[in-house]
Amino acid sequence: MIKVCKFGGTSMADKKSIEQVVKVIRSDEDRRFVVVSAPGKRFSGDDKITDLLYQSFNERFDDRQPSFDKIKERYISIVKELALDIDIEKYLYEAEQGIESSRTSDYAASRGEYLCALIFANILGWQFIDAADIIKFNSKGQFDSETTNDLVSARLKDANNAVIGGFYGSMPDGAIKTFSRGGSDITGSIIARGAKADIYENWTDVNGFMTADPRIIKNPIPIDVLSYDELRELSYMGASVLHPDSIFPLRYSNIPINVRNTFEPENKGTTIVNDVGAMGARLVTGIAGKAGYVSIFIKKSMMNNELGFARKVLSVLENNGVSLEHVPTGIDTMSVIIDGNELKGDKEHKLVEEIMASTGPDRVEVSKNLALIAIVGQGMAEKIGTAAKVFNALCKHEVNIRMIDQGSSEMNIIIGVAESDLKKSIVALYEEFFN
Ligand code: ASP
């Protein structure tokens, strides 16, 4: 049996957590391939190594480089406290030189995982594999899954054990490229696929996925089993346990992901599978919500008769490189819901101007501070009354629903509410479906 394990930043944070990780790995000899994140926060208010690396990149031409000094201190103390025989100062020096000469912040950011993997390979006495050698992006910076899979398979075929740094790979010219933040989860999936693992264990600092955000609902019911599709919906909408893209490498190879807690290894966590079987009959699997959306509402009389109206609006977004989340429509109205992060600088103004110019509407209105909540459950497609329950619950708690959208898979209902109603809505929905 082959298990691929990925350990997150809190599991790598200090001597104590690293020792705990080693215990987890050594307790099961099937745990043969390990992917590590960069050391995360040791306590609230502490720095994450990755954040410090991005800052070091910005400080690279300054006389003083306080962020890199902090990085050095962290790694040196880890090596000292664990009494490891590794010349960490040499590797830190190389990283510092590399950051000064590199043109992108990706190289800088990747050093957190790179150094951590070197240290871990040393602790375990296992082979270190530089992710740059096996994880490949094309010249546009897009992940090249098939080349990567061939390289990973070839490299792991005869390896008994290995430690690999998460989060990064390389482009055809050798330049380092990272995934988006939290991307070590994706590396773990890629390695699990390439190793033809029986299971991908993703070790973090919580007991898997919960039916709602524990910062809002005290001790929410845990989710034992989740389908890939449900996971995608929940993590996209803010359940931040696993990177939303981590399922792609695994989907067609049918490898389950088991999300576990390094600090409570006896807890079985959440298992994510392609087909949840009988569990799929649950009405609602989980609820997740996210603030920070913007809606652009467009009204034009006789819109429904105008051929190509939606195309014109969507072209404006496309030409401005803005991706959209939802498009609720009425007879003479249409809204586009956009993640607020897409509208930096004067983008919002530009979009409105261009939509006006290309569609000649009666009215365009921008509303900010919108939150979206997804009520997710594979079983909902076959049951009557889920939407009614959602509306009842929100009505009872006097929440004004500003948008409604049911995914075409009928696996989710998405509602838009004012950001100030986000918590209240999640409480109302949790009470309705889980209490
Ligand atoms: N260290 C990276 C980050 O903080 C990647 C990861 O931890 O998954 O985003």
Side-chain angles (χ1 to χ4, degrees):
M1 185 156 189
I2 300 179
K3 294 182 180 172
V4 167
C5 307
K6 179 255 164 178
F7 291 89
T10 22
S11 306
M12 293 291 140
D14 56 15
K15 171 178 186 264
K16 209 166 141 223
S17 55
I18 291 176
E19 282 173 344
Q20 175 63 13
V21 170
V22 172
K23 218 159 110 191
V24 168
I25 297 172
R26 293 226 163 105
S27 68
D28 183 345
E29 56 185 38
D30 294 334
R31 296 191 172 125
R32 288 175 37 195
F33 301 112
V34 168
V35 173
V36 293
S37 275
K41 294 185 183 186
R42 292 160 291 186
F43 42 84
S44 103
D46 191 21
D47 296 304
K48 277 179 106 168
I49 289 287
T50 310
D51 293 333
L52 290 172
L53 283 161
Y54 282 115
Q55 289 161 25
S56 316
F57 179 74
N58 295 332
E59 292 164 3
R60 69 195 184 285
F61 301 128
D62 301 352
D63 294 340
R64 283 188 56 251
Q65 292 169 346
S67 304
F68 203 81
D69 291 343
K70 284 189 193 164
I71 293 168
K72 276 191 202 156
E73 230 176 83
R74 280 287 289 276
Y75 281 107
I76 291 173
S77 78
I78 289 176
V79 166
K80 253 201 198 136
E81 286 174 27
L82 289 161
L84 301 177
D85 182 18
I86 178 173
D87 190 354
I88 194 67
E89 310 227 8
K90 178 187 95 184
Y91 292 115
L92 284 163
Y93 177 75
E94 280 171 11
E96 194 172 17
Q97 297 294 307
I99 293 172
E100 274 173 29
S101 57
S102 68
R103 271 170 298 136
T104 66
S105 57
D106 284 25
Y107 172 82
S110 73
R111 294 306 88 183
E113 280 52 25
Y114 173 84
L115 293 169
C116 197
L118 277 171
I119 291 179
F120 235 80
N122 181 284
I123 299 177
L124 295 167
W126 289 6
Q127 172 187 181
F128 161 80
I129 298 178
D130 187 348
D133 296 340
I134 52 171
I135 304 228
K136 296 291 174 183
F137 293 80
N138 65 21
S139 52
K140 288 191 192 133
Q142 290 152 339
F143 174 56
D144 180 348
S145 65
E146 295 320 300
T147 307
T148 297
N149 192 48
D150 292 345
L151 287 167
V152 173
S153 306
R155 187 71 189 261
L156 300 186
K157 198 163 51 91
D158 301 316
N160 205 26
N161 311 97
V163 180
I164 303 124
F167 191 39
Y168 73 97
S170 65
M171 303 215 281
D173 63 358
I176 296 289
K177 170 87 190 130
T178 62
F179 292 107
S180 57
R181 294 299 304 264
S184 300
D185 287 341
I186 308 173
T187 309
S189 297
I190 294 166
I191 300 297
R193 178 184 173 206
K196 300 192 176 52
D198 296 278
I199 190 157
Y200 166 28
E201 293 180 340
N202 186 295
W203 293 82
T204 171
D205 55 358
V206 291
N207 291 331
F209 280 83
M210 302 291 139
T211 41
D213 187 339
R215 285 166 301 186
I216 300 176
I217 306 290
K218 213 168 153 225
N219 295 325
I221 302 172
I223 305 177
D224 293 341
V225 185
L226 196 61
S227 72
Y228 284 154
D229 290 327
E230 289 171 328
L231 163 81
R232 175 97 183 122
E233 302 281 346
L234 288 172
S235 52
Y236 187 76
M237 282 303 298
S240 57
V241 184
L242 203 62
H243 193 294
D245 292 347
S246 9
I247 54 164
F248 292 120
L250 297 180
R251 230 198 145 108
Y252 300 107
S253 39
N254 248 321
I255 299 171
I257 309 175
N258 184 202
V259 179
R260 301 278 290 269
N261 187 348
T262 301
F263 308 99
E264 244 183 271
E266 59 291 345
N267 192 301
K268 60 185 182 345
T270 302
T271 304
I272 302 143
V273 290
N274 222 345
D275 181 3
V276 289
M279 296 290 278
R282 304 174 283 212
L283 184 60
V284 171
T285 306
I287 299 163
K290 218 160 111 180
Y293 290 93
V294 173
S295 143
I296 303 181
F297 167 86
I298 308 147
K299 176 165 172 54
K300 185 175 184 185
S301 318
M302 306 295 283
M303 180 192 287
N304 69 327
N305 288 339
E306 193 176 319
L307 220 56
F309 189 93
R311 182 186 44 77
K312 287 181 201 154
V313 174
L314 300 186
S315 299
V316 170
L317 299 190
E318 189 179 349
N319 296 339
N320 282 282
V322 171
S323 66
L324 82 156
E325 305 292 326
H326 299 279
V327 193
T329 54
I331 298 175
D332 288 338
T333 60
M334 171 176 174
S335 297
V336 280
I337 312 278
I338 300 167
D339 185 330
N341 293 320
E342 296 265 338
L343 299 178
K344 299 256 161 67
D346 69 341
K347 270 268 168 76
E348 176 193 318
H349 186 69
K350 211 160 159 256
L351 289 186
V352 172
E353 299 251 289
E354 291 181 25
I355 290 174
M356 304 261 272
S358 73
T359 64
D362 302 334
R363 210 167 89 221
V364 175
E365 264 169 37
V366 177
S367 335
K368 295 185 185 169
N369 307 331
L370 187 70
L372 297 184
I373 301 171
I375 300 106
V376 177
Q378 226 162 260
M380 143 183 341
E382 268 130 49
K383 302 238 170 59
I384 295 170
T386 320
K389 284 191 176 170
V390 170
F391 301 142
N392 254 330
L394 295 177
C395 170
K396 253 192 289 179
H397 286 75
E398 294 179 354
V399 174
N400 180 19
I401 301 179
R402 294 181 30 194
M403 185 209 89
I404 305 162
D405 197 0
Q406 175 162 36
S408 19
S409 58
E410 282 190 55
M411 209 184 56
N412 61 12
I413 295 174
I414 308 238
I415 51 155
V417 299
E419 274 176 4
S420 51
D421 282 339
L422 175 61
K423 280 192 180 160
K424 185 159 97 171
S425 308
I426 292 198
V427 170
L429 294 164
Y430 186 83
E431 269 175 20
E432 178 72 37
F433 290 104
F434 297 107
N435 264 359

